[in-house]
Amino acid sequence: MLFREAKTISVIKLVLCRIVFASLNGKDFFIRLFQPQLEGRPLVVLSNNDGCVVARSHEAKALGVAMGAPFFKLDPQLRRQLVVFSSNYALYGDLSRRVMQVLAGFAPRIEVYSIDECFLDLSGVAEPVALGQAMARTVRQWTGIPVSVGIAPTKTLAKLANRLAKKGQSPDDPVLDWAHLPDPAATLAAVPIEDVWGIGTRWGARLRQLGIADALAMREAEPRWLRQQFGVVLERLGWELRVRACLPLEVMAPPRQQIRVSRTFGAAVTAWPELRAALTRFASRAGEKLRAQGLAAPALTVFIQTDPFDTARPFYTNAVTRPFVAPTQDSAALIGGSVRGPGCGGTRDAPDGGPGRHQPPFRARDAVLRRRVGRYWLAAARGARLADLDDALGGVADGPGVLNCAGLA
């Protein structure tokens, strides 16, 4: 059961229309809205149960705090310099809806891209920079939240323009129009390839091996060659960097293919009743989301994984998928599929711990197991009867005290 949330705003000029991409300046501003005295302080927001860093202020970034970094792995001296908050997604979602409602009043079409990002169609607007400044000013006045606005001929360039505006590199702060850049090629050359929208670290590493280390090099690469090497997604990004729009505005969000209910547990769960209660909550919440979107799930996946940060013990991961007789959005059916016992059936997914990380099943007395449901972590302490937990989820133990099964997603 998998879900995703939304996030940023930018402006894009296309051949036949102008699209605005606007982005809120991070979850930390949701906090500063209520605690303005924190302005200028290095601030981070942590994931559920304070596991990893999911938002950073500019000051925290300057101190070297990486996005997604496990908080417990940060240097103790660095942690003492930070102002730390837990996530409050209900609050973020409410404030995001208010911002998107304000922005929707400036354009006939809007694509809400994420919880703090959106694209707007500004066809026929003669002065997009002035309108962008009006949007930022109105959002700040009506909601108290600052936004950055990027204007460009394509979505990819609008995202880059927004990034530059967020960094204060625009004379029209907080708005940057790509057409007003004195040297667009030099700007692209200064953008690492990993910072191009949709690239990321994995593709970035492959592109660097092929001699493409920045956005300018990707623009100069032959789009058809990009397609041969990486597929149609990177071909489209290449065309977008060449000012040829390939990504249309999605006014209607496509149906979700997955729903994930995820949260990190802050304390170890060592008994089946606790695990069953957690699975029940997750499945119930997933049912609520399915019904809200008019969707039905044909299958449910349960999976487990040991703690990837625990280098002292072997790593293990596995999963099982349980199909339903008919697609369902009924929470009772989802709960039953997630907690029913042995013999319930299902397709066992191949274990995948990554290169060199997967280990064969290990005995409970030698392990501290972290059981993951989506991104939910359920830890079984040393000496717990993991085979019993495995059987309760419908898995098969390879022997007394040996774990070999999967959980929920």
Side-chain angles (χ1 to χ4, degrees):
M1 294 176 272
L2 311 168
F3 260 123
R4 295 185 180 135
E5 293 184 337
K7 199 176 164 180
T8 304
I9 310 173
S10 300
V11 178
I12 304 178
K13 295 177 185 173
L14 303 179
V15 176
L16 299 178
C17 67
R18 289 193 178 105
I19 298 179
V20 173
F21 180 78
S23 65
L24 313 186
N25 292 340
K27 295 182 181 70
D28 57 296
F29 282 98
F30 291 140
I31 293 172
R32 287 174 172 171
L33 173 64
F34 299 101
Q35 299 192 40
Q37 73 275 12
L38 296 177
E39 189 70 35
R41 299 281 303 280
L43 185 152
V44 298
V45 179
L46 303 182
S47 61
N48 293 310
N49 286 336
D50 299 340
C52 299
V53 175
V54 295
R56 307 157 295 163
S57 67
H58 295 302
E59 297 80 9
K61 294 177 184 178
L63 291 175
V65 179
M67 176 64 76
F71 186 68
F72 77 93
K73 298 186 74 173
L74 296 181
D75 185 86
Q77 186 175 357
L78 175 58
R79 292 204 299 264
R80 286 192 290 269
Q81 300 179 58
L82 301 173
V83 180
V84 183
F85 285 89
S86 299
S87 294
N88 186 337
Y89 293 108
L91 173 63
Y92 302 155
D94 180 66
L95 292 173
S96 174
R97 284 189 291 272
R98 298 186 193 186
V99 172
M100 300 307 170
Q101 288 173 356
V102 175
L103 290 168
F106 286 90
R109 298 195 304 151
I110 180 173
E111 173 189 339
V112 178
Y113 179 67
S114 71
I115 196 171
D116 57 3
E117 299 176 323
C118 72
F119 294 95
L120 295 94
D121 179 0
L122 299 186
S123 301
V125 176
E127 298 292 338
V129 172
L131 184 61
Q133 291 173 330
M135 286 193 298
R137 186 169 55 249
T138 303
V139 170
R140 186 65 182 260
Q141 181 180 357
W142 290 10
T143 69
I145 297 175
V147 299
S148 299
V149 178
I151 304 173
T154 70
K155 280 186 171 183
T156 303
L157 290 176
K159 289 275 287 184
L160 287 176
N162 179 272
R163 182 184 182 90
L164 296 174
K166 196 176 290 187
K167 292 184 175 181
Q169 300 180 24
S170 170
D172 302 309
D173 185 58
V175 180
L176 189 144
D177 189 340
W178 190 263
H180 294 175
L181 291 175
D183 190 348
T187 300
L188 289 175
V191 177
I193 189 62
E194 295 83 1
D195 290 344
V196 176
W197 184 33
I199 297 298
T201 55
R202 188 174 63 177
W203 273 355
R206 287 186 57 194
L207 286 165
R208 285 182 178 275
Q209 291 176 352
L210 297 172
I212 300 177
D214 54 56
L216 179 61
M218 185 170 178
R219 189 190 74 174
E220 299 303 320
E222 172 59 42
R224 290 177 180 81
W225 177 83
L226 289 173
R227 180 168 187 164
Q228 292 173 352
Q229 296 293 323
F230 298 94
V232 68
V233 174
L234 258 66
E235 180 192 18
R236 290 171 178 167
L237 293 179
W239 283 118
E240 292 251 320
L241 292 174
R242 293 184 175 207
V243 199
R244 174 175 168 179
C246 297
L247 304 172
L249 199 70
E250 295 183 358
V251 179
M252 295 294 293
R256 295 185 183 275
Q257 300 301 309
Q258 283 186 322
I259 291 176
R260 181 188 298 272
V261 180
S262 62
R263 183 166 291 104
T264 302
F265 278 79
V269 176
T270 60
W272 167 239
E274 297 173 86
L275 177 58
R276 181 174 55 200
L279 295 178
T280 298
R281 289 196 304 271
F282 305 159
S284 178
R285 178 59 181 146
E288 293 175 9
K289 293 185 176 184
L290 285 169
R291 292 190 294 275
Q293 298 186 37
L295 302 176
L300 175 73
T301 298
V302 181
F303 57 97
I304 59 172
Q305 177 177 313
T306 56
D307 185 356
F309 301 112
D310 187 354
T311 58
R313 297 176 176 86
F315 179 83
Y316 180 81
T317 182
N318 209 337
V320 63
T321 298
R322 296 173 178 166
F324 296 109
V325 175
T328 183
Q329 56 179 211
D330 182 12
S331 290
L334 296 172
I335 292 170
S338 67
V339 302
R340 58 189 174 180
C344 63
T347 302
R348 189 64 56 87
D349 297 335
D352 181 14
R357 298 199 69 200
H358 175 68
Q359 302 288 339
F362 47 90
R363 295 186 179 280
R365 65 172 182 270
D366 298 326
V368 174
L369 172 73
R370 284 190 179 270
R371 197 174 202 92
R372 196 168 90 169
V373 180
R375 289 191 180 182
Y376 292 86
W377 294 93
L378 304 175
R382 192 184 195 95
R385 298 193 62 192
L386 301 187
D388 291 346
L389 294 179
D390 185 34
D391 288 340
L393 282 173
V396 179
D398 284 343
V402 179
L403 175 67
N404 182 22
C405 85
L408 166 74

